Structures are given as structure tokens and as C-alpha cells.
């Protein structure tokens, strides 16, 4: 068994897709607009390896301002393959003002940094 894809809701599919392309080099799939569900738009994003990410938009999605943590997925972790790659991406994240936590060795043995996407979703980058 393997994960087929992971899906994220957003208020702006194009903005979030551009973030993933610019920050992680994701390939952006064709825009899908549902004929059955008016206002539903999605795109699939692909990284070098692993499951695809479906970015979904609908007019019923609320603003991330004021959201609180809730039961559900807490973050997405991307393995970059090396300490140098984590450090380089974290340096670029500082420039873009999206770094939440700088590179560090965690108590459970991971070397990681934490970024946020335009919607405030947490993305860990690790070796």
C-alpha cells in the first residue's frame, strides 16, 4: 500500500501552486474546473518522488486568519536528501520571509527546518 496523493484546500490555487513550483521545484498539472461542483478548481503537483499533492480551491473555503489547530494533519515533511540542501533552502526561506524555524537537530534525531506556505500550512524540510 502507498499514498496516492495528499490534498490541501486553499483560497487561491494559482498562488499556492506557484509557491510549490518556485520553492520546491514542483511540476504543476493542468487546471481542473469541475462542471459538477461550481467553483471547485484543482491542480496536481508532482515532486521528484513520492505521492502527488492536489491543491483544491472552492468559494466555500474560509480565510486562514484566526484558524486554530485542530485534529487532522499537522504538517507535510519533504526529504531533501542532504544537510546542505536543507541549509540552502532555509537560507532562501529567510529571504522570502517564510522560515518558521531554522535548521536544527531535533531531539528525536532529525535535521530539519520549518517553512510555511502562503496559507500558513507548515512544511518541514529534512535530510
Amino acid at each position: 500500500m502507498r499514498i496516492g496523493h495528499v490534498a490541501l484546500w486553499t483560497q487561491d490555487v494559482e498562488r499556492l501552486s506557484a509557491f510549490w513550483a518556485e520553492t520546491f521545484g514542483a511540476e504543476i498539472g493542468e487546471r481542473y474546473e469541475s462542471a459538477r461542483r461550481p467553483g471547485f478548481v484543482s491542480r496536481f503537483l508532482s515532486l521528484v518522488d513520492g505521492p502527488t499533492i492536489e491543491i483544491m480551491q472552492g468559494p466555500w473555503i474560509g480565510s486562514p486568519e484566526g484558524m486554530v489547530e485542530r485534529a487532522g494533519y499537522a504538517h507535510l515533511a519533504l526529504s531533501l536528501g542532504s544537510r546542505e540542501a536543507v541549509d540552502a533552502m532555509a537560507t532562501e526561506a529567510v529571504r522570502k520571509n517564510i522560515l518558521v524555524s531554522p535548521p536544527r537537530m531535533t531531539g528525536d534525531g532529525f535535521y530539519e527546518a520549518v517553512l510555511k506556505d502562503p496559507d500558513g500550512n507548515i512544511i518541514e524540510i529534512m535530510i
Side-chain angles (χ1 to χ4, degrees), residues 53-114:
I53 300 167
E54 183 181 14
I55 306 297
M56 306 179 304
Q57 172 184 315
W60 51 88
I61 301 304
S63 170
E65 276 73 27
M67 289 180 66
V68 295
E69 289 183 324
R70 57 176 169 64
Y73 293 105
H75 64 267
L76 176 68
L78 300 176
S79 176
L80 304 184
S82 72
R83 186 180 192 116
E84 294 78 18
V86 171
D87 291 344
M89 186 170 285
T91 297
E92 181 65 14
V94 168
R95 190 184 69 72
K96 293 180 176 180
N97 198 32
I98 60 171
L99 186 69
V100 173
S101 181
R104 70 200 178 287
M105 186 62 71
T106 65
D108 52 356
F110 292 99
Y111 186 74
E112 68 181 29
V114 180

